[in-house]
Amino acid sequence: MSAAALRTYLTAARDLIPFASGPSAHAESLRGVIIANLFFEDSTRTRLSFSLAAKRLGADTIDLTGAGSSASKGETLRDTARNIEAMGVDAIVVRTKASGGAALVADSVGCPVINAGDGKHEHPTQGLLDVLTFAEAKGRLDTFDLSGLSLAIVGDIISSRVARSAIAALTTLGCRVICVGPPTMAPKGLTCLGCEVEHDFDRILRDVDGVMMLRIQFERHGESPAPAAPAPSGLTGSLREFRAFHALTQARARLLKPGAVIMHPGPVNRGLELDHAVADSGASVILRQVSRGVAVRMAVFKALVRAG
């Protein structure tokens, strides 16, 4: 997507911020529209954010999850989407474990299809809300020109569709993006996306304008999830090593330059990639990311879905 197209969406989202968390002057924009949320992968923030965005615009939603759909009986994603379109929905939001799944749906139906995350590939609306939040924190809401700013994305980059979309959006708007992690999670080949790659978190910590931490995507490595709020003393093996070198601890957070912001797309594994106190600190804009997600998704619906 071009910088001009990105700015069009971001400007629309910026203008919708006041209406994303309360009564909306746009409550009749999509009156009579039905939006289907097809979520074949677990989600809290994204699914509820899309539903709330639709309702703020006056649309109705229907929700389908993998466990409650005919996909559990062997129906293909293509057939599921075509059957739902045949019922008269006006747009489909799809989240799937399959990279390219959203494109497959879009090629199968005639209504607008919005990618809510497809495998390890992309998460476009998350990339938009990350840029919106970062630009707001840095006083760039007027132009969305991120030239001269830098953001470190830290953690399991190789498995992260969030990172891919954020890198694309940020670099297109002029931001310097540095991907940080152990070589297995942040291989040098990521530079083909237009970012830099660094394995030493401490080396770049003092220089960046923001840090976006990522959780380890245990489910994409075929591993069990980390225990909730793990104590550092309870971590074993590679997790202890990851925390030692790549977690944003209180000690590392104190080294950030004044005004640097702390981001995370969620869910946060507190005590692993991010300390409790850091996640809840004044530098954290994690909850603002969540709220800005509603504005972004409202903007996307207004641009792509037409009432009547």
Side-chain angles (χ1 to χ4, degrees), residues 102-118:
L104 176 68
V105 172
D107 288 341
S108 306
V109 300
C111 66
V113 174
I114 299 165
N115 184 358
D118 62 326

Side-chain angles (χ1 to χ4, degrees), residues 3-210:
L6 281 170
R7 289 190 175 105
T8 297
Y9 279 105
L10 289 165
T11 300
R14 176 199 67 196
D15 294 343
L16 286 165
I17 288 173
F19 308 108
S21 58
S24 177
H26 303 265
E28 300 295 322
S29 298
L30 297 183
R31 184 68 64 192
V33 163
I34 300 175
I35 295 171
N37 290 320
L38 310 188
F39 277 70
F40 299 115
E41 197 173 39
D42 292 343
S43 172
T44 300
R45 280 156 296 278
T46 302
R47 182 167 62 86
L48 295 179
S49 179
F50 270 112
S51 292
L52 185 55
K55 292 182 186 302
R56 293 284 187 222
L57 297 172
D60 292 318
T61 61
I62 56 174
D63 298 289
L64 183 68
T65 61
S69 74
S70 292
S72 63
K73 303 176 183 178
E75 185 173 67
T76 66
L77 180 61
R78 182 193 298 270
D79 283 340
T80 297
R82 291 178 67 186
N83 277 278
I84 288 172
E85 182 190 32
M87 296 177 190
V89 303
D90 299 287
I92 294 174
V93 178
V94 61
R95 184 184 186 102
T96 171
K97 295 179 181 179
S99 297
L104 176 68
V105 172
D107 288 341
S108 306
V109 300
C111 66
V113 174
I114 299 165
N115 184 358
D118 62 326
K120 296 182 180 181
H121 182 222
E122 291 277 358
H123 195 345
T125 57
Q126 180 72 44
L128 286 170
L129 74 87
D130 290 338
V131 170
L132 180 63
T133 305
F134 187 55
E136 183 178 15
K138 298 285 116 186
R140 303 289 181 94
L141 283 180
D142 52 344
T143 63
F144 292 103
D145 180 357
L146 304 183
S147 300
L149 297 176
S150 59
L151 182 74
I153 303 178
V154 185
D156 190 5
I157 316 291
I158 194 66
S159 303
S160 177
R161 58 193 173 206
V162 169
R164 283 171 173 75
S165 289
I167 291 166
L170 290 161
T171 56
T172 298
L173 296 174
C175 185
R176 176 192 177 203
V177 177
I178 309 162
C179 290
V180 185
T184 53
M185 295 182 181
K188 290 293 185 181
L190 289 172
T191 55
C192 70
L193 300 177
C195 59
E196 302 172 27
V197 173
E198 174 61 64
H199 302 310
D200 188 342
F201 191 13
D202 296 312
R203 182 181 300 174
I204 57 92
L205 195 59
R206 294 172 173 83
D207 301 323
V208 295
D209 298 290

Side-chain angles (χ1 to χ4, degrees), residues 236-259:
T236 58
S238 59
L239 293 184
R240 187 185 298 117
E241 182 179 359
F242 177 87
R243 179 169 170 79
F245 292 104
H246 295 102
L248 189 57
T249 60
Q250 292 183 69
R252 285 196 173 99
R254 284 193 287 268
L255 299 177
L256 290 168
K257 66 183 183 181

Side-chain angles (χ1 to χ4, degrees), residues 45 153-156 180 182 185 201 205 211-218 226-232 235 239-250 252-253 262-279 286:
R45 280 156 296 278
I153 303 178
V154 185
D156 190 5
V180 185
M185 295 182 181
F201 191 13
L205 195 59
V211 177
M212 182 159 71
M213 302 303 299
L214 303 176
R215 70 182 180 90
I216 298 175
Q217 309 255 327
F218 293 98
L235 297 176
L239 293 184
R240 187 185 298 117
E241 182 179 359
F242 177 87
R243 179 169 170 79
F245 292 104
H246 295 102
L248 189 57
T249 60
Q250 292 183 69
R252 285 196 173 99
I262 296 164
M263 305 173 68
H264 196 304
V268 179
N269 284 319
R270 288 171 177 256
L272 182 50
E273 73 268 12
L274 199 58
D275 279 4
H276 293 269
V278 178
I286 295 172

